[in-house]
Amino acid sequence: MLNRIAPLKETPSQTGGPYVHIGLVPSFSELHVFQDGDLGATMLTPETKGERIVVTTNVYDGSGLPLIDAVVEVWQADADGLHVAAMSPRSNSAPAFTGWGRQATDTSGQVRFETIKPGRVSGPDGKPMAPHLTLWIAARGINTGLHTRLYFDDERDANAGDFVLNRIMDPRRRQTLIAARDTQGGMPHYHLNIRLQGDDETVFFDI
Amino acid sequence: MTDPVILPGEQGAYYPRDRDWHPPAFTADYKSSILRSPKHALISMGQTASELAGPTFGHVKLGALDNDLIRNYSQDGTEAIGQRLIVYGQVLDENARPVPHTLVEFWQANAGGRYRHKREGYLAPLDPNFGGCGRAITDENGYYHFRTIKPGAYPWPNRGNDWRPAHIHFSIFGHAFTQRLITQMYFEGDPMIWQCPIVGGVPNPEGIEQLTARLDRHNTTPMDALAYRFDIVLRGRRSTLFENKLEGN
């Protein structure tokens, strides 16, 4: 039957707690259990195609204080706008590019990813979406992981036609997803502040 | 003949997340949520290729002890202190189909209820041979398993005298970024479950039961370890109508 009612319910989400680092970025807590270090620590290899960029985001709570105990994950397309996604027992998702990164926030609430500028991914309306990163945030006090996106402020035309940005009725709220470009150590650098509450609360998605 | 290549987006989208089944972002009794819960409604959007794809971990080489918390942080060959457990279960989707080859990560306090973390302030002793994290990849039928010790309950300053029930944190990826889930497993019969403000955020008692692992006498290791079963359900996919498969997929 088409669209039958699902027989099971999703396992309820629970907070990752104050020590989400122990499980997801153990070396950040000086916990050296796994030989290869933390998963998601490196997204690039020398063979990765695409423009190298640095992305930083700072995460703040409703009182403006940084979240120093959060984990942020990035999921993104490669330079051709394709996700490394093939699922199989032997899948090697990343000979050259993982598309996935994971970092813990530092004492200023910041995470930093060295990655590539993603290409344009086809949207559900058949038109390409603007280049973007998908972000996911877990921390103490966050009962269900928060999904958001990071867009690039030097992609003005693409952003204007983006399917997802245009779902956000209030154009001021769209701005909460657009990272500002400058340079950092000679590299293009994009920065976005993520605010969980407040006048400029970040747009989060129900996907 | 080669297998058909199914691209993200060519299959049906995932069922919407039932937000009434999950704890609300703002849970007044869980104080940390007060300043960390968005106030605006989440924006609904169609699932795009960015959410229908997800990272895979076929390239991750798991160590032989990655799923053995009794031994994976041993400093001198001594095993971790505590009641020895096997925790296992099946990762399924809402259509009751197994989710094979997905990464499951887990972390927990030691037998005294203390985490190995520089900001941890509880006075229970650290166990020098217990780290508190592990990982596994589900097999072709969606099963994972690991060995550990039973974590202790511990106090936290939420309302001055709150205590967390014994629990193990789980992180699961699934096959699409929409399926990403972090949750916690509790132990059948623990009276602490029902007074915990984090557990209490789950609106339905059935949801709390779903987070409660069952003692499984059949899979105990005699003279060694008790077994608990904890199945995990990730979001399921709507079927796409195919002419040659009208019943769905």
Side-chain angles (χ1 to χ4, degrees):
Chain A
M1 298 289 290
L2 190 64
N3 294 344
R4 65 189 164 197
I5 304 293
L8 300 179
K9 296 293 286 183
E10 187 185 13
T11 298
S13 179
Q14 293 274 269
T15 178
Y19 306 124
V20 64
H21 302 138
I22 290 176
L24 303 188
V25 273
S27 70
F28 187 82
S29 348
E30 292 155 24
L31 186 55
H32 301 287
V33 168
F34 308 128
Q35 289 169 351
D36 299 337
D38 297 332
L39 288 175
T42 307
M43 300 176 72
L44 301 176
T45 69
E47 290 74 40
T48 307
K49 289 192 295 181
E51 180 192 12
R52 263 59 176 171
I53 63 171
V54 174
V55 171
T56 57
T57 73
N58 282 52
V59 189
Y60 299 100
D61 73 10
S63 64
L65 288 172
L67 267 67
I68 62 169
D69 52 12
V71 166
V72 179
E73 291 184 5
V74 158
W75 173 238
Q76 66 166 98
D78 65 15
D80 296 325
L82 298 172
H83 288 94
V84 181
M87 203 293 296
S88 90
R90 292 175 300 281
S91 158
N92 182 342
S93 65
F97 179 56
T98 67
W100 176 72
R102 179 153 79 182
Q103 298 287 342
T105 52
D106 65 14
T107 52
S108 66
Q110 184 171 100
V111 288
R112 182 175 191 276
F113 295 96
E114 293 182 20
T115 184
I116 50 165
K117 186 96 170 274
R120 301 186 69 172
V121 178
S122 293
D125 58 356
K127 298 178 193 151
M129 294 185 281
H132 64 273
L133 310 183
T134 296
L135 301 179
W136 187 79
I137 303 154
R140 169 178 68 95
I142 295 177
N143 284 331
T144 302
L146 295 170
H147 282 266
T148 186
R149 284 187 172 198
L150 179 150
Y151 287 87
F152 301 91
D153 74 347
D154 54 351
E155 298 283 349
R156 200 166 304 254
D157 292 345
N159 292 343
D162 182 77
F163 165 82
V164 171
L165 285 174
N166 287 322
R167 295 283 297 170
I168 305 164
M169 292 300 138
D170 182 345
R172 291 167 303 181
R173 298 209 70 212
R174 279 177 219 154
Q175 293 303 312
T176 66
L177 304 186
I178 297 177
R181 177 179 169 130
D182 57 21
T183 56
Q184 188 181 85
M187 299 267 285
H189 166 235
Y190 295 89
H191 178 77
L192 185 72
N193 287 322
I194 293 175
R195 298 184 191 280
L196 301 185
Q197 293 173 357
D199 291 341
D200 43 5
E201 178 181 309
T202 298
V203 168
F204 298 102
F205 294 102
D206 190 10
I207 54 171
Chain B
M1 194 169 145
T2 55
D3 293 336
V5 176
I6 298 171
L7 297 172
E10 291 188 350
Q11 293 181 321
Y14 286 81
Y15 296 115
R17 183 162 262 155
D18 180 356
R19 297 274 167 184
D20 292 336
W21 186 251
H22 294 276
F26 179 90
T27 307
D29 285 349
Y30 174 29
K31 287 186 181 173
S32 296
S33 77
I34 295 172
L35 288 172
R36 293 182 171 201
S37 47
K39 298 299 179 208
H40 286 271
L42 302 177
I43 303 279
S44 297
M45 57 183 260
Q47 291 162 10
T48 76
S50 303
E51 294 81 39
L52 296 172
T56 59
F57 296 93
H59 58 291
V60 176
K61 289 189 284 292
L62 296 193
L65 296 179
D66 283 7
N67 69 341
D68 186 355
L69 280 68
I70 293 175
R71 289 194 293 159
N72 73 11
Y73 194 75
S74 178
Q75 304 303 297
D76 60 1
T78 306
E79 299 195 334
I81 293 169
Q83 183 190 358
R84 298 156 72 86
L85 303 180
I86 297 159
V87 178
Y88 83 101
Q90 194 176 22
V91 182
L92 301 160
D93 70 14
E94 288 170 293
N95 296 318
R97 286 187 294 216
V99 181
H101 313 301
T102 192
L103 182 68
V104 180
E105 297 162 289
F106 24 85
W107 64 101
Q108 63 171 85
N110 70 22
R114 180 162 167 175
Y115 284 99
R116 181 172 290 284
H117 195 282
K118 56 197 167 200
R119 286 199 288 268
E120 165 70 281
Y122 184 33
L123 47 73
L126 275 175
D127 176 350
N129 297 304
F130 184 74
C133 67
R135 60 191 188 185
I137 289 181
T138 56
D139 69 14
E140 63 274 18
N141 296 312
Y143 281 93
Y144 70 90
H145 66 97
F146 60 98
R147 290 207 318 164
T148 187
I149 49 88
K150 186 168 182 187
Y154 60 82
W156 57 306
N158 186 55
R159 295 177 299 192
N161 187 25
D162 272 314
W163 291 72
R164 300 283 347 264
H167 64 278
I168 300 175
H169 295 270
F170 278 75
S171 165
I172 313 99
F173 279 85
H175 293 165
F177 215 56
T178 50
Q179 287 185 309
R180 193 77 183 81
L181 182 70
I182 283 184
T183 189
Q184 299 181 36
M185 174 197 123
Y186 304 98
F187 291 86
E188 177 180 14
D190 185 347
M192 311 288 287
I193 294 171
W194 301 95
Q195 53 76 54
C196 173
I198 289 177
V199 177
V202 177
N204 292 290
E206 297 82 12
I208 295 172
E209 294 292 345
Q210 209 178 343
L211 297 178
T212 307
R214 306 289 153 198
L215 178 67
D216 176 5
R217 285 272 302 175
H218 294 295
N219 280 297
T220 56
T221 306
M223 305 306 290
D224 182 348
L226 282 177
Y228 281 86
R229 177 168 182 149
F230 182 55
D231 292 340
I232 299 164
V233 181
L234 303 179
R235 293 167 69 183
R237 236 173 191 180
R238 289 200 302 268
S239 293
T240 301
L241 187 65
F242 291 108
E243 285 180 17
N244 62 347
K245 206 176 177 189
L246 290 170
E247 76 280 12
N249 54 12

Short mmCIF file of all heavy atoms in Angstrom, two decimals, chain B residues 120-145:
data_model
loop_
_atom_site.label_atom_id
_atom_site.label_comp_id
_atom_site.label_asym_id
_atom_site.label_seq_id
_atom_site.Cartn_x
_atom_site.Cartn_y
_atom_site.Cartn_z
N GLU B 120 33.62 17.45 35.00
CA GLU B 120 32.79 16.62 35.89
C GLU B 120 33.18 16.88 37.34
O GLU B 120 34.35 16.80 37.69
CB GLU B 120 32.98 15.15 35.53
CG GLU B 120 32.50 14.13 36.54
CD GLU B 120 31.00 14.05 36.65
OE1 GLU B 120 30.42 14.92 37.33
OE2 GLU B 120 30.40 13.11 36.07
N GLY B 121 32.19 17.19 38.18
CA GLY B 121 32.50 17.52 39.56
C GLY B 121 32.00 16.53 40.60
O GLY B 121 32.18 16.75 41.80
N TYR B 122 31.36 15.45 40.18
CA TYR B 122 30.81 14.51 41.16
C TYR B 122 31.94 13.80 41.89
O TYR B 122 32.96 13.45 41.30
CB TYR B 122 29.91 13.51 40.43
CG TYR B 122 29.20 12.51 41.30
CD1 TYR B 122 28.76 12.84 42.58
CD2 TYR B 122 28.92 11.23 40.82
CE1 TYR B 122 28.08 11.92 43.37
CE2 TYR B 122 28.23 10.30 41.59
CZ TYR B 122 27.82 10.65 42.87
OH TYR B 122 27.15 9.73 43.63
N LEU B 123 31.73 13.59 43.20
CA LEU B 123 32.84 13.07 44.02
C LEU B 123 33.05 11.57 43.93
O LEU B 123 34.01 11.05 44.48
CB LEU B 123 32.65 13.50 45.48
CG LEU B 123 31.27 13.33 46.13
CD1 LEU B 123 30.99 11.86 46.42
CD2 LEU B 123 31.16 14.16 47.39
N ALA B 124 32.18 10.87 43.22
CA ALA B 124 32.44 9.43 43.06
C ALA B 124 33.78 9.23 42.37
O ALA B 124 34.19 10.06 41.55
CB ALA B 124 31.33 8.79 42.22
N PRO B 125 34.50 8.17 42.69
CA PRO B 125 35.86 8.02 42.15
C PRO B 125 35.87 7.69 40.66
O PRO B 125 34.95 7.06 40.14
CB PRO B 125 36.43 6.85 42.96
CG PRO B 125 35.24 6.08 43.41
CD PRO B 125 34.13 7.08 43.60
N LEU B 126 36.93 8.12 40.00
CA LEU B 126 37.19 7.68 38.64
C LEU B 126 37.73 6.27 38.68
O LEU B 126 38.47 5.91 39.60
CB LEU B 126 38.22 8.59 37.97
CG LEU B 126 37.72 9.87 37.32
CD1 LEU B 126 38.92 10.68 36.83
CD2 LEU B 126 36.79 9.54 36.16
N ASP B 127 37.37 5.49 37.69
CA ASP B 127 37.97 4.17 37.50
C ASP B 127 39.07 4.33 36.46
O ASP B 127 38.79 4.70 35.32
CB ASP B 127 36.88 3.20 37.00
CG ASP B 127 37.43 1.82 36.69
OD1 ASP B 127 38.67 1.65 36.67
OD2 ASP B 127 36.61 0.91 36.44
N PRO B 128 40.34 4.11 36.85
CA PRO B 128 41.42 4.37 35.90
C PRO B 128 41.34 3.53 34.63
O PRO B 128 41.95 3.88 33.62
CB PRO B 128 42.69 4.03 36.70
CG PRO B 128 42.23 3.19 37.84
CD PRO B 128 40.82 3.60 38.14
N ASN B 129 40.58 2.45 34.69
CA ASN B 129 40.52 1.55 33.54
C ASN B 129 39.19 1.63 32.77
O ASN B 129 38.86 0.74 31.99
CB ASN B 129 40.78 0.11 33.98
CG ASN B 129 42.18 -0.04 34.54
OD1 ASN B 129 43.15 0.28 33.86
ND2 ASN B 129 42.28 -0.47 35.78
N PHE B 130 38.45 2.71 33.01
CA PHE B 130 37.19 2.88 32.30
C PHE B 130 37.13 4.24 31.64
O PHE B 130 37.24 5.28 32.30
CB PHE B 130 36.00 2.72 33.27
CG PHE B 130 34.66 2.77 32.57
CD1 PHE B 130 34.23 1.70 31.81
CD2 PHE B 130 33.86 3.91 32.67
CE1 PHE B 130 33.00 1.76 31.16
CE2 PHE B 130 32.63 3.96 32.03
CZ PHE B 130 32.20 2.88 31.27
N GLY B 131 36.99 4.23 30.29
CA GLY B 131 36.90 5.49 29.55
C GLY B 131 35.48 5.97 29.41
O GLY B 131 35.15 7.11 29.68
N GLY B 132 34.62 5.07 28.96
CA GLY B 132 33.19 5.41 28.91
C GLY B 132 32.65 5.68 27.54
O GLY B 132 31.54 6.22 27.41
N CYS B 133 33.37 5.31 26.48
CA CYS B 133 32.77 5.45 25.15
C CYS B 133 33.12 4.25 24.29
O CYS B 133 34.12 3.57 24.52
CB CYS B 133 33.18 6.75 24.47
SG CYS B 133 34.91 6.87 24.04
N GLY B 134 32.28 4.03 23.29
CA GLY B 134 32.50 2.92 22.36
C GLY B 134 31.67 3.14 21.12
O GLY B 134 30.92 4.12 21.02
N ARG B 135 31.83 2.23 20.16
CA ARG B 135 31.08 2.36 18.91
C ARG B 135 31.00 1.01 18.22
O ARG B 135 31.81 0.11 18.46
CB ARG B 135 31.74 3.38 18.00
CG ARG B 135 33.17 3.04 17.65
CD ARG B 135 33.87 4.21 16.98
NE ARG B 135 35.18 3.78 16.48
CZ ARG B 135 36.08 4.60 15.93
NH1 ARG B 135 35.82 5.89 15.83
NH2 ARG B 135 37.23 4.14 15.48
N ALA B 136 30.00 0.92 17.35
CA ALA B 136 29.78 -0.32 16.60
C ALA B 136 29.10 0.04 15.29
O ALA B 136 28.51 1.12 15.17
CB ALA B 136 28.90 -1.29 17.40
N ILE B 137 29.18 -0.85 14.32
CA ILE B 137 28.43 -0.68 13.08
C ILE B 137 27.45 -1.83 13.00
O ILE B 137 27.82 -2.99 13.27
CB ILE B 137 29.38 -0.61 11.86
CG1 ILE B 137 30.14 0.73 11.91
CG2 ILE B 137 28.61 -0.76 10.56
CD1 ILE B 137 31.09 0.97 10.77
N THR B 138 26.20 -1.54 12.69
CA THR B 138 25.20 -2.60 12.68
C THR B 138 25.51 -3.60 11.57
O THR B 138 26.04 -3.24 10.51
CB THR B 138 23.78 -2.04 12.48
OG1 THR B 138 23.73 -1.27 11.27
CG2 THR B 138 23.36 -1.18 13.65
N ASP B 139 25.14 -4.85 11.83
CA ASP B 139 25.39 -5.90 10.84
C ASP B 139 24.31 -5.85 9.74
O ASP B 139 23.48 -4.95 9.71
CB ASP B 139 25.49 -7.27 11.52
CG ASP B 139 24.16 -7.77 12.09
OD1 ASP B 139 23.09 -7.21 11.77
OD2 ASP B 139 24.20 -8.74 12.88
N GLU B 140 24.30 -6.85 8.89
CA GLU B 140 23.39 -6.80 7.74
C GLU B 140 21.92 -6.88 8.16
O GLU B 140 21.04 -6.54 7.37
CB GLU B 140 23.73 -7.90 6.73
CG GLU B 140 23.58 -9.33 7.24
CD GLU B 140 24.81 -9.85 7.97
OE1 GLU B 140 25.66 -9.02 8.38
OE2 GLU B 140 24.91 -11.08 8.15
N ASN B 141 21.67 -7.30 9.40
CA ASN B 141 20.29 -7.33 9.91
C ASN B 141 20.00 -6.19 10.87
O ASN B 141 18.95 -6.19 11.53
CB ASN B 141 20.02 -8.67 10.59
CG ASN B 141 20.11 -9.83 9.62
OD1 ASN B 141 19.53 -9.77 8.53
ND2 ASN B 141 20.86 -10.86 9.96
N GLY B 142 20.92 -5.24 10.96
CA GLY B 142 20.68 -4.06 11.79
C GLY B 142 21.06 -4.22 13.25
O GLY B 142 20.76 -3.37 14.06
N TYR B 143 21.73 -5.33 13.59
CA TYR B 143 22.07 -5.56 15.00
C TYR B 143 23.41 -4.93 15.39
O TYR B 143 24.37 -4.95 14.60
CB TYR B 143 22.13 -7.06 15.30
CG TYR B 143 20.76 -7.67 15.49
CD1 TYR B 143 20.09 -8.26 14.42
CD2 TYR B 143 20.14 -7.66 16.74
CE1 TYR B 143 18.83 -8.82 14.59
CE2 TYR B 143 18.89 -8.22 16.92
CZ TYR B 143 18.23 -8.79 15.84
OH TYR B 143 16.99 -9.34 16.03
N TYR B 144 23.45 -4.42 16.61
CA TYR B 144 24.71 -3.95 17.20
C TYR B 144 24.84 -4.65 18.55
O TYR B 144 23.83 -5.16 19.09
CB TYR B 144 24.69 -2.42 17.43
CG TYR B 144 23.73 -2.04 18.53
CD1 TYR B 144 24.16 -1.96 19.87
CD2 TYR B 144 22.38 -1.84 18.26
CE1 TYR B 144 23.28 -1.68 20.89
CE2 TYR B 144 21.49 -1.55 19.29
CZ TYR B 144 21.94 -1.48 20.60
OH TYR B 144 21.06 -1.22 21.62
N HIS B 145 26.02 -4.69 19.11
CA HIS B 145 26.17 -5.16 20.49
C HIS B 145 27.46 -4.62 21.07
O HIS B 145 28.40 -4.28 20.33
CB HIS B 145 26.15 -6.70 20.57
CG HIS B 145 27.32 -7.35 19.90
ND1 HIS B 145 28.43 -7.76 20.58
CD2 HIS B 145 27.56 -7.63 18.60
CE1 HIS B 145 29.30 -8.29 19.73
NE2 HIS B 145 28.80 -8.21 18.52
#
